[in-house]
């Protein structure tokens, strides 16, 4: 059983989703999973950037390359460090029109490229 601060945080998150029109628990879990997914990708990119800067070497792996996605949005906007500062409507646009498209269309190619040692990032030609 959850008590105290963790329970309050969960209730706060649930209320935010509920007031935003998401009432199905599975949908809430799915949305949280997307957010955790883009946060983790951003963390990996930041780690690679810091490593490259510290060692004075070019980045070995770019998850979010410079440039623009298919639908005209900067790929950097999909990074958690930028995404978390957007207004709710803009978050929804980025999530629905860009993150989900990248997840469905680009990520499978990205994972195949990593398996093959090619190391391409989101939005790069596969």
């Amino acid at each position: 059983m959850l008590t105290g601060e963790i329970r309050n945080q969960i209730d706060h998150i649930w209320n935010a989703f509920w007031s935003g029109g998401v009432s199905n628990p599975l949908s809430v879990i799915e949305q949280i999973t997307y957010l955790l997914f883009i946060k983790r990708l951003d963390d990996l990119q930041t780690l690679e950037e810091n490593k490259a800067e510290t060692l004075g070497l070019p980045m070995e792996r770019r998850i979010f390359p410079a440039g623009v996605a298919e639908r005209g949005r900067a790929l950097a906007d999909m990074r958690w460090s930028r995404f978390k500062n957007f207004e709710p409507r803009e978050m929804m646009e980025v999530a629905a029109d860009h993150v989900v498209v990248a997840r469905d269309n680009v990520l499978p190619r990205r994972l195949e490229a990593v398996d093959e040692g090619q190391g391409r990032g989101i939005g790069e030609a596969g």
Side-chain angles (χ1 to χ4, degrees), residues 3 8-12 15-17 29 31 36 38 47-48 55 59 71 80 87 90 98 106 113 116-117 119 122 125:
T3 59
N8 289 337
Q9 290 174 343
I10 291 171
D11 287 342
H12 180 72
N15 289 336
F17 276 104
I29 291 169
Q31 297 302 313
L36 291 171
I38 63 171
L47 182 67
E48 284 292 321
L55 298 175
M59 285 181 59
R71 298 183 182 192
W80 176 256
E87 295 296 323
E90 192 173 7
H98 303 284
V106 178
E116 296 169 8
I122 291 176

Side-chain angles (χ1 to χ4, degrees), residues 55-75:
L55 298 175
L57 299 172
M59 285 181 59
E60 293 177 12
R61 178 179 61 164
R62 269 188 204 280
I63 297 169
F64 299 95
V68 178
E70 293 175 13
R71 298 183 182 192
R73 186 87 189 203
L75 292 167

